[in-house]
Amino acid sequence: GMSPAQAIVVSTSRPTEVLRIKDTGTLAKGKRADFMVLNANPLEDIRNTRKIDSVYLNGVKLNREALQQKFKKAYVPKNRAEK
């Protein structure tokens, strides 16, 4: 298996290299600031990547609660859609 550090690299910077996306994948000056702030260290336990405090896209903090409410409103249970 992979270490938590290897799993993080494989899931972040490597895909951007393969897809030749140059402005994301790592934190560096001049790149997009897309990242998550976690409540626990993922190097201690990879499952800590699920303990998300906040998410930033292009340097702007997302309002996760507002997004979740929009998704809940847009969600139509399968049995209701058929009526």
Side-chain angles (χ1 to χ4, degrees):
M2 287 188 261
S3 71
Q6 290 169 321
I8 292 167
V9 169
V10 166
S11 65
T12 56
S13 62
R14 293 295 183 255
T16 60
E17 289 174 11
V18 170
L19 296 171
R20 297 186 178 135
I21 301 171
K22 298 188 186 304
D23 68 340
T24 191
T26 59
L27 292 175
K29 185 176 181 178
K31 291 190 174 188
R32 287 175 43 130
D34 298 342
F35 61 94
M36 297 184 305
V37 177
L38 304 175
N39 290 320
N41 187 345
L43 299 178
E44 293 173 2
D45 184 340
I46 195 66
R47 290 175 293 207
N48 288 340
T49 57
R50 296 179 182 166
K51 298 178 180 179
I52 300 168
D53 178 73
S54 51
V55 177
Y56 290 78
L57 288 179
N58 210 17
V60 178
K61 185 176 181 179
L62 295 182
N63 183 335
R64 294 176 65 216
E65 289 181 20
L67 288 172
Q68 288 173 342
Q69 291 302 317
K70 286 182 183 181
F71 288 134
K72 285 179 184 177
K73 287 179 184 177
Y75 173 72
V76 178
K78 190 173 184 177
N79 60 356
R80 286 185 56 198
E82 294 172 357
K83 291 182 181 180

